[in-house]
Amino acid sequence: MKVGVVGASGYAGGELLRLLAFHPQFEVNAITAHSNAGEQITSVHPQLQSYAGKKFSAFSPSDFLSCDLIFLALPHGESAKVIASLPTSAKIVDLGADFRLESAQQWSKYYGGDYAGAWTYGLADIEPFKTLISKSTKVANPGCYATSIALGTAPASSIADLSDVVVVAASGTTGAGRSAKINLIASEVAGSLTSYKFGGVHQHTPEIEQALTKVSGTAAKISFTPILAPMPRGILSTITAKLTKATSTEEVHALYSTYFTDSQFVTVLPIGVMPKTSALTGSNHVQIQVAVDSHTSRLVVSVAIDNLGKGAAAQAIQNANLMCGLDEAAGLRFDGLGV
Amino acid sequence: MKVGVVGASGYAGGELLRLLAFHPQFEVNAITAHSNAGEQITSVHPQLQSYAGKKFSAFSPSDFLSCDLIFLALPHGESAKVIASLPTSAKIVDLGADFRLESAQQWSKYYGGDYAGAWTYGLADIEPFKTLISKSTKVANPGCYATSIALGTAPASSIADLSDVVVVAASGTTGAGRSAKINLIASEVAGSLTSYKFGGVHQHTPEIEQALTKVSGTAAKISFTPILAPMPRGILSTITAKLTKATSTEEVHALYSTYFTDSQFVTVLPIGVMPKTSALTGSNHVQIQVAVDSHTSRLVVSVAIDNLGKGAAAQAIQNANLMCGLDEAAGLRFDGLGV
Amino acid sequence: MKVGVVGASGYAGGELLRLLAFHPQFEVNAITAHSNAGEQITSVHPQLQSYAGKKFSAFSPSDFLSCDLIFLALPHGESAKVIASLPTSAKIVDLGADFRLESAQQWSKYYGGDYAGAWTYGLADIEPFKTLISKSTKVANPGCYATSIALGTAPASSIADLSDVVVVAASGTTGAGRSAKINLIASEVAGSLTSYKFGGVHQHTPEIEQALTKVSGTAAKISFTPILAPMPRGILSTITAKLTKATSTEEVHALYSTYFTDSQFVTVLPIGVMPKTSALTGSNHVQIQVAVDSHTSRLVVSVAIDNLGKGAAAQAIQNANLMCGLDEAAGLRFDGLGV
Amino acid sequence: MKVGVVGASGYAGGELLRLLAFHPQFEVNAITAHSNAGEQITSVHPQLQSYAGKKFSAFSPSDFLSCDLIFLALPHGESAKVIASLPTSAKIVDLGADFRLESAQQWSKYYGGDYAGAWTYGLADIEPFKTLISKSTKVANPGCYATSIALGTAPASSIADLSDVVVVAASGTTGAGRSAKINLIASEVAGSLTSYKFGGVHQHTPEIEQALTKVSGTAAKISFTPILAPMPRGILSTITAKLTKATSTEEVHALYSTYFTDSQFVTVLPIGVMPKTSALTGSNHVQIQVAVDSHTSRLVVSVAIDNLGKGAAAQAIQNANLMCGLDEAAGLRFDGLGV
């Protein structure tokens, strides 16, 4: 299958190219970037030796005419603009936010600008999304925080109060993009933790609530505080909610394990073993641990992913696999880096 | 004044020696360490050029006979053992946990072993502790997490439900001590986040609840999840609790600012500016930010400290200053490192 | 082909397992570890989801009877001991040092203990090694520093004085192994650089000199200073030697580019672009840059590799591919992580 | 004494303010910054609680009329421009490069633009500089790399060939300044090493050679390769040169120890103990180790400093102390951070 990538000069775009070079069925034949058009791909992504000698093109609809599958890795608001010029026959996975929200009001509150509508939400590891994705030609890939938080919370609807979920999640710096800002330079970030988008205003909040409401059948509400961590990749989300019934760590662990039985990329770790972001680096895997805090009658969940892998490029490929009728794990059967 | 330090080979002990070398009134004349007795201080703490040529002694009560002030920086359970052999006239600040808890039951639940009783709790920046400390000869220095969480939560008793406070706090690796364990080696920690003491079992929980209950007059309860962060120093605590009355970020900011008016080491940052652990490195300062999350009717608080500075050695010196009738800031008037 | 790994609990062993799970022809069916025998592989290497449910065995010769190919990832001195009990028909790649040196005297000076003899030196990217490897059944995989330094120096024999090569190379912490030592804990390493094995005593020195002498036909001599860098993976080697003839950066760049024409894993970067260790992470690739320092009449070379990838596990697989008559890139066609 | 700081918004300027707040004799009463004029000092340097409420001024000569001492922390080429408008009575320490080089030709080669002349070179720990500084009213503070390399090489003139010194030095990211560039963002730097200004072109080369030539009486020549390290502060320099006479590590160690007898900020560590950048963080101290590499007949020297401390702000204060007839250690008697 012929594949195009629109917006490949960012970190998610680079990871997408890296993973696509592995894929047994996908062949990348159109790669665009806006401000880096004309540059060698390896001058922006020096690791992409597989693309040595190739250059980023400027976006031109004609380059995508022969594409069976297109990935969009653009800033929010941009995907909606290019969509009309892409071939209608092509399957599309949008790694941006433009088509994630089903509520125009929420779009307006958290993003602003024109509302573009909603595509199938590509939370590929769980139902009802997985089935819907396999029937879709357009999929909105979830946000990185949203992926980890929704996966960590979804199984809990029968035991915890999802109307008051508290989440604190820390992300590596690639989550902030490949842009030259003082607050992102290494001297500012090294050896330091700081929060941002503070006070419940992060734009992933509505998509998490939308996903959880869909899974649980009850209105979910999330208090979410993001943190910038001194590492390039990885998200560790800590999720807690009041238990709605008496239960034990063992029972919750069994509940989660059962919930993810058919999710080959989600591992509920043995009780007591904690998720660790470096174990997921570069992969499509998710690690989850649960505990009942009997002192406060709260469920506590810890979830680790790679923000660029499962949180962006790898899940996008999993979605594409499902959309194309391939094994969902095609091109994704590799472990995280570990160290 | 003549000062002794018992247990100076750990990170808190090293930081204490570093800060004491600055202090205008304190003169260190007894320095002991258990397993490193006989070694050069600079062989364990290569930064302590001020102590060049001096060695750690094995603990011997006679070395402390002339001490007016003694700091204990020992593993929990050890302070209680040495206390009887120290001169009764000496003022003592214990950086360990042995004398923090007023409840024998809580001691037993979280630490185990013999309960040694409680000393004045040395949360030096706020009342009623500050006044009590200045009248005490024995003070239990708070834990690092406890310091940041108690300070961040204390002002909120009139506006938030302290019976269900959720805290996620990430600490630098020095919080785990100077010990050779596989999970602490740089290869395991670098570029990775992982939680530990998961499920509401961290031993600082009861001292935080005890402190907040004392400040607020109502029973406080904390769900606390600690995280190990890939940096040597610093704690960033994110605290959230349901608001018990309608309020705004501006009002809460004013409330916190007023609360800390007389606390020279606590800065409530301008609205929108976030605490950052590197800004506090090596210092006794605290940075706090607050917000009202109107989406979930929750108060959110972010607090940054240096776990070895304000979270251990610097607050211990602040306590000693208060106990000795000195300016509380003596020897502590320096800013954090920043980068 | 059936594959065994002896000593799989270290970092090189873990990386080997990670890469072997990708390999199209190799099937791992024996995995041993000494001190971790009986443990889940994922309890030591939490990233190795591909090996979920499998355990490390204690070493038992019978487990390796059916193996066509065996990798040894043992501390030096250990490979020589197990070799006699392995099937004589099996091809063997030793990632340790036991069979690298052709001089018993050098072995004795740098390692000590019984000298075990020399196998084909597995510097797989260049001749004469590549051809020799493809004819060998036993190959000694080069050390991580040795790989980067030998590759960076080998092309220079016609233009620089290899009898006085100066090398300063910095390695990530995984190069020091997965062992619980105070000087390796994150608090000690974070944000810090320090040298070790100082004064020309590093044990990779003789294998580098042996390799260069073989390539150049003249006796090579290296002054080598290693540095421990605050990062988990990667080696950056800076190599300099007096020029023996007048030349320019452009000419040297052309010389290097020609030298590595047939080395698909070695990239001589465009003039002015510098090697960067993160671009190589997890891969078998090498990046090289050269310059003529006209001020001092010196050649300067910068080489980046991943110490665990090209510097250990990935090159071991490249060697195995060559020994088995496979494409040398089988299972190794993936780019580095980049960030 | 009244002190002014011109250009205080960069990292060196921030460190200068941090250290000046400690100083017993200096009182900062003019603080300027170009692009940050009008901003709160704490908005740029959030650690500088001592300056809470104060703002950066735009540069105005009248603000410096009452200053007895002025520090310039400006980009190169800028110091020369402001100098004419400063009071002639004021002592001035320039942290930039404008007045370091005695050769107009070298200035032109390495910096370009108008040559402004040379001031006393402020390598404060050794002669002949120390004596000259104490007689000067204008001092050019050495560069960070230059400080570490010149100190590490100066004692060797009687035993090593200073006409062919090889130096590889790695610096923390603050050395690259507080500027928003893609190659400096944390995602690019984290976990990675890369060289820059490659091929003997770093602009500190001539000042090192000038200083060593002055100390040794013979023409020194340096091949210098700088590396960007994934840490905020610190420089580790590895220096090597051919020995000109047979000697031993012990003898060289004695030579260096003697050389620095009167240099209270320079520590030649016990044989076998290696300099470590984190031990120097925030301080004016230097750690040095030496070895004879008998295999190659080379001297090897390892030197660690804090690039912002000894390599910039702290040495500037040491220079000011000497110029003002104060104890050279006034305001500088604190140890490095260690961790």
Side-chain angles (χ1 to χ4, degrees):
Chain A
M1 296 182 65
K2 292 194 187 309
V3 173
V5 178
V6 184
S9 61
Y11 288 128
E15 183 74 350
L16 202 46
L17 292 181
R18 187 179 75 85
L19 296 178
L20 287 169
F22 279 83
H23 199 283
Q25 259 88 20
F26 297 159
E27 184 198 321
V28 184
N29 69 344
I31 302 172
T32 77
H34 186 67
S35 49
N36 299 98
E39 284 185 53
Q40 295 280 342
I41 291 173
T42 52
S43 82
V44 172
H45 303 303
Q47 74 275 20
L48 294 183
Q49 194 55 32
S50 297
Y51 297 82
K54 294 188 181 162
K55 293 181 178 180
F56 294 110
S57 308
F59 177 74
S60 166
S62 62
D63 292 348
F64 292 86
L65 287 180
S66 65
C67 286
D68 306 298
L69 173 65
I70 299 171
F71 295 94
L72 308 178
L74 296 166
H76 74 81
E78 297 299 314
S79 297
K81 290 181 193 162
V82 302
I83 223 71
S85 60
L86 295 175
T88 52
S89 62
K91 291 181 171 67
I92 303 180
V93 180
D94 181 19
L95 280 78
D98 290 21
F99 301 101
R100 289 180 195 154
L101 297 185
E102 295 175 2
S103 157
Q105 189 190 347
Q106 296 280 38
W107 175 265
S108 173
K109 177 177 174 189
Y110 284 91
Y111 294 94
D114 292 341
Y115 174 62
W119 289 354
T120 299
Y121 190 67
L123 192 60
D125 294 297
I126 61 173
E127 297 294 355
F129 306 105
K130 190 171 183 172
T131 298
L132 292 169
I133 294 161
S134 67
K135 296 175 182 163
S136 299
T137 58
K138 307 279 179 280
V139 166
N141 208 52
C144 51
Y145 282 122
T147 296
S148 75
I149 298 167
L151 290 176
T153 313
S157 62
S158 62
I159 56 163
D161 178 7
L162 298 198
S163 75
D164 186 31
V165 179
V166 172
V167 183
V168 178
S171 172
T173 53
T174 51
R178 192 172 177 280
S179 70
K181 294 177 185 163
I182 280 284
N183 68 315
L184 296 180
I185 66 173
S187 300
E188 296 293 313
V189 171
S192 199
L193 284 172
T194 193
S195 205
Y196 65 102
K197 294 186 183 169
F198 189 68
V201 299
H202 194 281
Q203 71 278 8
H204 285 183
T205 307
E207 67 172 287
I208 302 166
E209 293 177 350
Q210 173 183 294
L212 290 177
T213 299
K214 200 158 287 188
V215 169
S216 69
T218 62
K221 219 158 193 186
I222 308 281
S223 158
F224 169 35
T225 304
I227 290 169
L228 186 70
M231 58 192 201
R233 294 186 180 221
I235 288 180
L236 187 76
S237 296
T238 303
I239 303 161
T240 174
K242 273 283 182 192
L243 288 165
T244 51
K245 53 184 271 191
T247 186
S248 67
T249 294
E250 287 73 17
E251 284 174 346
V252 176
H253 191 268
L255 174 73
Y256 269 65
S257 300
T258 302
Y259 187 89
F260 290 114
T261 300
D262 297 330
S263 305
Q264 64 178 291
F265 290 111
V266 183
T267 303
V268 181
L269 295 171
I271 290 178
V273 179
M274 298 310 300
K276 186 178 170 180
T277 61
S278 58
L280 290 318
T281 303
S283 84
N284 193 44
H285 289 281
V286 181
Q287 290 186 342
I288 297 184
Q289 186 52 283
V290 294
V292 164
D293 176 352
S294 56
H295 177 63
T296 59
S297 300
R298 282 187 163 273
L299 168 68
V300 195
V301 186
S302 182
V303 185
I305 63 167
D306 178 357
N307 61 305
L308 291 183
K310 164 57 82 184
Q315 184 160 242
I317 291 175
Q318 186 182 1
N319 275 313
N321 287 339
L322 290 167
M323 294 160 76
C324 297
L326 304 173
D327 182 332
E328 68 169 340
L332 297 172
R333 278 185 203 90
F334 43 84
D335 297 323
L337 223 65
V339 285
Chain B
M1 296 181 64
K2 292 193 188 308
V3 173
V5 178
V6 183
S9 60
Y11 287 128
E15 184 73 350
L16 202 44
L17 292 181
R18 186 179 75 86
L19 297 177
L20 287 168
F22 279 84
H23 199 283
Q25 257 88 20
F26 297 158
E27 184 198 322
V28 184
N29 70 343
I31 302 173
T32 76
H34 185 66
S35 48
N36 299 97
E39 284 185 53
Q40 294 281 341
I41 291 173
T42 52
S43 79
V44 171
H45 303 302
Q47 74 274 22
L48 294 182
Q49 194 55 31
S50 298
Y51 296 83
K54 294 188 181 163
K55 294 180 178 181
F56 294 111
S57 308
F59 177 75
S60 164
S62 60
D63 292 347
F64 292 86
L65 287 180
S66 65
C67 287
D68 305 297
L69 172 66
I70 299 170
F71 294 94
L72 308 179
L74 295 166
H76 74 79
E78 297 300 313
S79 297
K81 290 180 192 161
V82 303
I83 223 71
S85 59
L86 296 175
T88 51
S89 62
K91 293 182 171 64
I92 303 181
V93 180
D94 181 20
L95 280 79
D98 291 21
F99 302 100
R100 290 180 195 154
L101 298 185
E102 295 176 1
S103 157
Q105 188 190 345
Q106 295 280 39
W107 174 266
S108 172
K109 177 178 173 188
Y110 285 90
Y111 294 95
D114 292 342
Y115 175 61
W119 289 354
T120 299
Y121 190 67
L123 192 61
D125 295 296
I126 61 174
E127 297 293 354
F129 307 105
K130 192 170 181 172
T131 298
L132 292 169
I133 294 160
S134 66
K135 296 175 183 166
S136 299
T137 57
K138 308 279 180 279
V139 165
N141 207 54
C144 49
Y145 282 122
T147 296
S148 74
I149 298 167
L151 291 176
T153 312
S157 62
S158 61
I159 55 162
D161 178 8
L162 298 198
S163 76
D164 185 32
V165 179
V166 171
V167 182
V168 177
S171 171
T173 54
T174 50
R178 192 173 177 278
S179 71
K181 293 176 186 164
I182 280 283
N183 67 316
L184 295 180
I185 67 173
S187 301
E188 298 292 314
V189 170
S192 199
L193 284 172
T194 193
S195 206
Y196 64 101
K197 293 185 183 170
F198 188 69
V201 298
H202 194 282
Q203 72 277 8
H204 287 182
T205 306
E207 67 173 287
I208 301 166
E209 292 178 349
Q210 173 184 295
L212 290 177
T213 299
K214 199 159 286 185
V215 169
S216 69
T218 60
K221 218 160 193 183
I222 309 280
S223 159
F224 169 34
T225 304
I227 289 170
L228 186 70
M231 58 192 202
R233 294 186 181 222
I235 287 180
L236 187 76
S237 296
T238 304
I239 303 161
T240 173
K242 273 282 181 194
L243 289 166
T244 51
K245 54 182 271 190
T247 185
S248 66
T249 294
E250 289 70 19
E251 285 174 345
V252 176
H253 191 267
L255 174 74
Y256 269 66
S257 300
T258 303
Y259 188 89
F260 291 113
T261 300
D262 297 330
S263 304
Q264 65 177 290
F265 290 111
V266 183
T267 303
V268 181
L269 295 172
I271 290 178
V273 179
M274 298 308 303
K276 185 177 171 182
T277 61
S278 58
L280 291 318
T281 302
S283 85
N284 193 43
H285 290 281
V286 182
Q287 290 185 342
I288 296 183
Q289 186 52 282
V290 294
V292 164
D293 175 354
S294 56
H295 176 64
T296 59
S297 301
R298 283 186 161 274
L299 167 69
V300 196
V301 185
S302 182
V303 185
I305 62 167
D306 177 358
N307 61 305
L308 292 183
K310 166 53 80 182
Q315 183 161 243
I317 290 173
Q318 187 182 0
N319 275 313
N321 287 339
L322 290 168
M323 294 160 76
C324 298
L326 304 172
D327 183 330
E328 68 169 339
L332 298 173
R333 276 184 205 91
F334 43 84
D335 296 323
L337 222 65
V339 286
Chain C
M1 295 183 65
K2 292 194 188 310
V3 173
V5 178
V6 184
S9 60
Y11 287 128
E15 184 73 350
L16 202 46
L17 292 180
R18 187 179 76 84
L19 296 178
L20 287 169
F22 279 83
H23 199 283
Q25 257 88 22
F26 296 159
E27 184 198 321
V28 184
N29 70 343
I31 302 173
T32 75
H34 185 66
S35 49
N36 298 99
E39 282 185 56
Q40 294 281 340
I41 290 172
T42 52
S43 81
V44 171
H45 302 302
Q47 74 274 23
L48 294 182
Q49 195 54 33
S50 298
Y51 296 82
K54 293 188 183 162
K55 293 181 178 178
F56 294 110
S57 309
F59 177 73
S60 165
S62 61
D63 293 348
F64 291 86
L65 286 181
S66 64
C67 287
D68 305 298
L69 173 65
I70 299 170
F71 294 95
L72 308 179
L74 296 167
H76 74 79
E78 297 299 314
S79 297
K81 290 181 193 162
V82 302
I83 223 72
S85 59
L86 295 175
T88 52
S89 63
K91 292 180 171 67
I92 303 180
V93 180
D94 181 19
L95 281 80
D98 291 21
F99 302 100
R100 290 181 195 154
L101 298 185
E102 296 175 2
S103 155
Q105 188 191 346
Q106 295 282 37
W107 174 266
S108 173
K109 176 178 173 189
Y110 284 91
Y111 294 94
D114 292 342
Y115 175 60
W119 288 355
T120 299
Y121 190 65
L123 192 62
D125 294 298
I126 61 173
E127 298 294 355
F129 306 105
K130 192 171 181 171
T131 297
L132 292 169
I133 294 162
S134 65
K135 296 176 182 165
S136 298
T137 59
K138 308 278 179 281
V139 166
N141 207 53
C144 49
Y145 282 121
T147 297
S148 74
I149 298 167
L151 290 177
T153 312
S157 61
S158 61
I159 56 163
D161 177 8
L162 299 198
S163 76
D164 185 31
V165 179
V166 172
V167 182
V168 178
S171 171
T173 55
T174 50
R178 193 173 177 277
S179 72
K181 294 178 187 163
I182 279 284
N183 67 315
L184 296 180
I185 68 172
S187 301
E188 297 293 313
V189 171
S192 199
L193 284 172
T194 192
S195 206
Y196 64 103
K197 294 185 183 169
F198 189 69
V201 299
H202 194 281
Q203 71 277 7
H204 286 183
T205 305
E207 67 173 287
I208 301 167
E209 293 176 350
Q210 173 183 296
L212 290 176
T213 299
K214 199 159 289 189
V215 168
S216 68
T218 61
K221 218 160 193 183
I222 308 283
S223 159
F224 170 34
T225 304
I227 290 169
L228 186 70
M231 57 190 202
R233 292 186 182 221
I235 287 179
L236 187 75
S237 296
T238 303
I239 302 161
T240 174
K242 273 282 180 193
L243 288 165
T244 50
K245 53 184 269 189
T247 185
S248 67
T249 294
E250 289 70 19
E251 285 174 345
V252 176
H253 192 267
L255 174 73
Y256 270 65
S257 299
T258 302
Y259 188 90
F260 290 114
T261 299
D262 297 329
S263 304
Q264 64 177 291
F265 290 111
V266 183
T267 302
V268 181
L269 295 172
I271 290 177
V273 179
M274 297 309 302
K276 187 178 171 182
T277 61
S278 59
L280 290 317
T281 302
S283 84
N284 193 44
H285 289 282
V286 181
Q287 289 185 342
I288 296 183
Q289 186 53 282
V290 293
V292 164
D293 176 353
S294 56
H295 177 63
T296 59
S297 301
R298 282 188 164 271
L299 167 69
V300 195
V301 186
S302 182
V303 185
I305 62 167
D306 178 359
N307 62 305
L308 292 183
K310 166 55 81 186
Q315 182 160 243
I317 291 174
Q318 185 181 0
N319 275 313
N321 288 339
L322 290 168
M323 294 160 76
C324 297
L326 304 173
D327 182 333
E328 69 169 338
L332 297 173
R333 278 185 202 88
F334 43 84
D335 297 323
L337 224 65
V339 285
Chain D
M1 297 180 65
K2 293 198 188 305
V3 173
V5 179
V6 184
S9 60
Y11 288 128
E15 184 74 351
L16 202 46
L17 292 180
R18 188 179 75 84
L19 297 178
L20 287 169
F22 280 81
H23 198 283
Q25 257 89 20
F26 297 158
E27 185 199 321
V28 184
N29 69 344
I31 302 174
T32 77
H34 185 67
S35 49
N36 299 98
E39 285 185 55
Q40 295 280 341
I41 290 172
T42 53
S43 81
V44 171
H45 302 303
Q47 73 276 21
L48 294 183
Q49 194 55 32
S50 298
Y51 297 82
K54 293 188 183 162
K55 294 180 178 178
F56 294 110
S57 309
F59 177 74
S60 165
S62 62
D63 293 348
F64 292 86
L65 287 180
S66 65
C67 286
D68 306 297
L69 173 66
I70 299 171
F71 294 94
L72 308 179
L74 295 166
H76 74 81
E78 298 299 314
S79 296
K81 291 181 194 161
V82 302
I83 224 69
S85 60
L86 295 175
T88 51
S89 63
K91 292 181 172 68
I92 304 180
V93 180
D94 182 18
L95 281 78
D98 291 21
F99 302 100
R100 290 180 195 154
L101 297 185
E102 296 176 1
S103 155
Q105 187 190 348
Q106 295 281 37
W107 174 265
S108 173
K109 175 178 175 189
Y110 285 92
Y111 294 95
D114 292 341
Y115 175 62
W119 288 356
T120 299
Y121 191 66
L123 192 61
D125 294 297
I126 61 174
E127 296 295 354
F129 307 104
K130 192 171 182 172
T131 298
L132 292 169
I133 295 161
S134 66
K135 296 175 183 164
S136 300
T137 59
K138 309 279 179 279
V139 166
N141 208 52
C144 50
Y145 282 122
T147 297
S148 73
I149 298 167
L151 290 176
T153 312
S157 62
S158 62
I159 55 163
D161 177 7
L162 298 198
S163 76
D164 185 32
V165 179
V166 172
V167 182
V168 177
S171 170
T173 54
T174 51
R178 193 174 177 276
S179 72
K181 294 178 185 162
I182 280 284
N183 68 315
L184 295 180
I185 66 173
S187 300
E188 297 293 314
V189 171
S192 200
L193 284 173
T194 194
S195 205
Y196 65 102
K197 294 186 184 169
F198 189 69
V201 299
H202 194 283
Q203 73 278 8
H204 286 182
T205 306
E207 68 173 283
I208 302 166
E209 292 176 351
Q210 172 184 296
L212 290 177
T213 298
K214 199 159 287 186
V215 169
S216 68
T218 61
K221 217 159 195 186
I222 308 281
S223 159
F224 168 34
T225 304
I227 290 170
L228 186 70
M231 57 190 204
R233 293 186 182 222
I235 287 181
L236 187 76
S237 296
T238 304
I239 302 161
T240 174
K242 275 283 180 192
L243 288 165
T244 49
K245 53 183 269 192
T247 185
S248 67
T249 294
E250 289 69 19
E251 284 174 346
V252 176
H253 191 268
L255 174 73
Y256 269 66
S257 300
T258 302
Y259 187 90
F260 291 114
T261 300
D262 296 329
S263 305
Q264 64 178 293
F265 290 112
V266 183
T267 303
V268 180
L269 295 172
I271 289 178
V273 179
M274 298 309 302
K276 186 179 171 180
T277 61
S278 59
L280 291 317
T281 303
S283 84
N284 193 43
H285 289 282
V286 181
Q287 290 186 344
I288 296 183
Q289 186 52 284
V290 293
V292 164
D293 175 354
S294 56
H295 176 63
T296 59
S297 302
R298 283 186 162 275
L299 167 69
V300 196
V301 185
S302 182
V303 185
I305 63 167
D306 177 359
N307 60 306
L308 292 182
K310 166 55 79 184
Q315 183 160 243
I317 291 175
Q318 186 182 359
N319 275 313
N321 287 338
L322 289 168
M323 293 159 77
C324 297
L326 303 173
D327 182 332
E328 67 168 340
L332 297 173
R333 277 185 204 88
F334 43 84
D335 297 323
L337 224 65
V339 287

